[in-house]
Amino acid sequence: MDGGDDLAALHEQVALAFSAAISASDLDLAFQLQVAEAIQASLGLPNAAAPSSSSQAAPESSSDATYAFAVQAADLARAEEDRRDAEACRAANARAAANARVVAHDALFARDLAAIPEEQWDHDGDYFERPVESSPCPPFRVFSKGMASREVVAPRDRDPSVAVLAVAIYGPQGEEVLRIQKLVERFVGGRMMVELMALMEGLDAALGLGIRSVTMVTGYGPLYKHMLGIWRPSGKKVADMMNQVLSVKRKFDQCEVSLVGASQVSHVVKLARDSLAAEITKARSANAREEKRESCAICLEDTDATKIHAVEVCAHRFCFSCMKEHVKVKLLNGTLPGCPQEGCATKLSVEGSRVFLSPRLVEIMVQRMREGQIPPSQKVYCPYPRCSALMSLGEVIHPMQESSSRHTAADAATLRKCVKCRGSFCLSCKVPWHDGMGCFEYKMWYPLAHPGDAKLQNLARQRLWRQCVKCKHMIELAEGCYHMICVCGYEFCYTCGKEWKNKKASCSCPLWDERNIIRDEDDDDDEDDLY
């Protein structure tokens, strides 16, 4: 409550006290008169004595009221004097504040005028004005903090560091109005640059909220001195950023800068540190993912490191897709797959290749490796179509060695049993066992081993299929060159059937036909050609 209200209350209290004093005096006088009349009536005295008694009581009561009124009047006088002193003090403070605002306004205006380029001053110098605000509204406070990381967060030294901007805007009553945490992409510069960028971010945000009076709060001394004009920026980039900040600053009705201690800006510093830590973690994660990618030496594509296969023993590395295609082509040609690296003689293992091969290709690779371990002269295939198991001469079952054998000694030369289906077959004729008939007789009666062989031979002649002269397997050229490698290891020319010796053709036939080399459709996933 100000002095005027106090004085009014005091006046009211005096009036009430005075009224109370008068009421008390009247009541006391009436009581004295009644007492006097009662005494006179009891003694039989005349009523003339009554005036004398009342005249004696009234002065005493009037004296008490007068004293109380005098005390209240003295208090009222002192209150009036205190009020006048308070008003004079407030007026003096107002005049001092006004003078301070004028001085601050003149200093800021003079600094702004000094920053105006000569060309602009020559053209617009007479029109610059900034009136002094007589009753400015309470300013908002803009806390800003720019922070850049000097840690190596990228795989190459030339990559920029990580920088963040943190801003907190508070209202006149101390309430938080806005909070900003922003990443600066590809930041290049020093601390002054990032601090100016943070301040610029805060001033732009304040203008966007319609705020016209702000106080820029910072704990960075060099920024404070630059904003006051005590220091001048040395670098061109910093000078340009400073000019941008000053240009935005002029858009406010009131904009001041304040330097505070570290404890007063700890909240905005924490915002910057938290944002910086999050961005560093994100950058490291991204770089870690990039570092886990590797280029394949065959297709030259960048592939996830988890999809790169390291060949056993030699440790040459290729992507799964190229390794699968390499193994598939080798199996198609009837050879054992090895390392794709030129000049490397390392052979692939089944266990090591399971990671990039389908189960069907693994099965075929096992069969090819099995075939490769048996010399061509020792290979035996089961003649039953539902089996066709591969065996060596040492593995086939000799029925004559079984205790329950019912065969004669004459059968011992050619009679064998499959190790898989245990079907009996003739080792010489490569057909199911012809019981009760010798090999010569069987060939006389059945020139073709199977009833469907005639149709097969006719179809082979029509389509120019070739039969291996060594193991009698029928071979069809699906694609590729005319150099054939049978499952038994025999090499020959598909065109004329002549043998290849020492990896060289013994005929003059062409090595390939373009129609067999270039395919019309991409059929990489078709694994049926491997059979």
Side-chain angles (χ1 to χ4, degrees), residues 108 111 139-144 168 196 199-200 202-203 206 213-219 223-224 226-228 245-246 248-250 252 254-260 265:
L108 292 175
R111 186 170 66 252
F140 286 72
R141 291 177 299 161
V142 178
F143 292 82
S144 62
L196 285 171
L199 180 57
M200 183 76 173
L203 294 179
S213 178
V214 296
T215 298
M216 301 174 289
V217 183
T218 180
L223 176 63
Y224 175 76
H226 275 83
M227 293 303 299
L228 290 181
V245 173
L246 293 176
V248 174
K249 177 175 172 290
R250 296 188 193 100
F252 291 92
Q254 179 182 356
C255 186
E256 300 176 353
V257 61
S258 175
L259 179 65
V260 298
V265 293

Side-chain angles (χ1 to χ4, degrees), residues 396-401 405-417 425-428 433 439:
V396 294
I397 301 174
H398 201 302
M400 303 305 297
Q401 296 175 352
S405 176
R406 60 179 180 81
H407 300 286
T408 63
D411 300 332
T414 59
L415 178 59
R416 298 292 186 272
K417 278 190 176 183
F425 64 91
C426 177
L427 185 61
S428 175
W433 179 246
C439 294

Side-chain angles (χ1 to χ4, degrees), residues 204-483:
D204 284 338
L207 285 176
L209 294 175
I211 299 173
R212 308 304 303 172
S213 178
V214 296
T215 298
M216 301 174 289
V217 183
T218 180
Y220 186 43
L223 176 63
Y224 175 76
K225 293 181 179 180
H226 275 83
M227 293 303 299
L228 290 181
I230 300 174
W231 287 2
R232 294 290 181 181
S234 56
K236 184 179 183 303
K237 292 184 178 179
V238 175
D240 292 342
M241 180 57 65
M242 178 66 71
N243 290 333
Q244 294 182 31
V245 173
L246 293 176
S247 176
V248 174
K249 177 175 172 290
R250 296 188 193 100
K251 298 179 181 180
F252 291 92
D253 296 338
Q254 179 182 356
C255 186
E256 300 176 353
V257 61
S258 175
L259 179 65
V260 298
S263 60
Q264 294 180 262
V265 293
S266 59
H267 58 293
V268 72
V269 172
K270 184 178 184 302
L271 287 179
R273 285 178 177 171
D274 293 344
S275 180
L276 184 62
E279 294 298 336
I280 289 175
T281 301
K282 187 187 302 183
R284 284 175 173 168
S285 300
N287 292 332
R289 289 192 297 270
E290 291 181 1
E291 289 175 357
K292 289 182 180 179
R293 298 187 67 81
E294 187 174 341
S295 178
C296 174
I298 296 178
C299 64
L300 303 179
E301 294 289 340
D302 287 339
T303 308
D304 195 313
T306 59
K307 300 297 183 182
I308 296 291
H309 177 69
V311 180
E312 304 90 328
V313 182
C314 65
H316 291 136
R317 300 171 66 84
F318 308 94
C319 69
F320 284 1
S321 178
C322 291
M323 286 298 300
K324 180 180 179 181
E325 186 65 22
H326 170 72
V327 171
K328 179 181 173 182
V329 170
K330 291 298 181 181
L331 295 178
L332 176 64
N333 291 332
T335 59
L336 293 177
C339 175
Q341 184 69 29
E342 184 178 0
C344 183
T346 303
K347 295 296 182 182
L348 300 181
S349 66
V350 175
E351 292 302 321
S353 303
R354 289 183 186 274
V355 66
F356 59 83
L357 293 181
S358 64
R360 192 173 184 183
L361 282 176
V362 170
E363 181 181 351
I364 298 172
M365 186 174 178
V366 171
Q367 181 180 349
R368 293 292 190 266
M369 294 190 71
R370 172 68 174 157
E371 293 173 353
Q373 293 171 355
I374 303 175
S377 59
Q378 298 291 314
K379 291 180 181 178
V380 178
Y381 291 90
C382 177
Y384 292 95
R386 293 182 178 272
C387 180
S388 300
L390 172 64
M391 301 161 283
S392 66
L393 288 177
E395 290 177 332
V396 294
I397 301 174
H398 201 302
M400 303 305 297
Q401 296 175 352
E402 297 180 346
S403 58
S404 58
S405 176
R406 60 179 180 81
H407 300 286
T408 63
D411 300 332
T414 59
L415 178 59
R416 298 292 186 272
K417 278 190 176 183
C418 175
V419 295
K420 185 176 181 181
C421 67
R422 303 189 70 83
S424 300
F425 64 91
C426 177
L427 185 61
S428 175
C429 302
K430 301 294 190 300
V431 297
W433 179 246
H434 40 75
D435 193 16
M437 185 182 299
C439 294
F440 180 77
E441 296 177 82
Y442 180 81
K443 292 178 181 179
M444 288 290 295
W445 284 95
Y446 303 103
L448 300 176
H450 299 281
D453 283 353
K455 295 181 180 179
L456 178 63
Q457 292 291 343
N458 185 33
L459 184 62
R461 284 192 296 269
Q462 292 178 5
R463 298 192 177 183
L464 302 178
W465 291 351
R466 284 293 175 185
Q467 189 174 26
C468 177
V469 298
K470 194 169 186 178
C471 66
K472 307 302 181 184
H473 271 74
M474 192 67 69
I475 299 174
E476 176 189 10
L477 176 63
E479 61 182 23
C481 66
Y482 293 146
H483 175 207

Side-chain angles (χ1 to χ4, degrees), residues 166-214:
V167 175
I169 301 178
Y170 289 85
Q173 305 301 324
E175 72 279 8
E176 186 177 71
V177 177
L178 182 65
R179 177 185 298 180
I180 300 175
Q181 292 172 284
K182 183 178 180 180
L183 170 68
V184 181
E185 297 183 357
R186 306 190 66 82
F187 171 75
V188 178
R191 182 176 179 182
M192 177 55 67
M193 174 62 73
V194 74
E195 291 281 2
L196 285 171
M197 294 174 68
L199 180 57
M200 183 76 173
E201 189 73 22
L203 294 179
D204 284 338
L207 285 176
L209 294 175
I211 299 173
R212 308 304 303 172
S213 178
V214 296

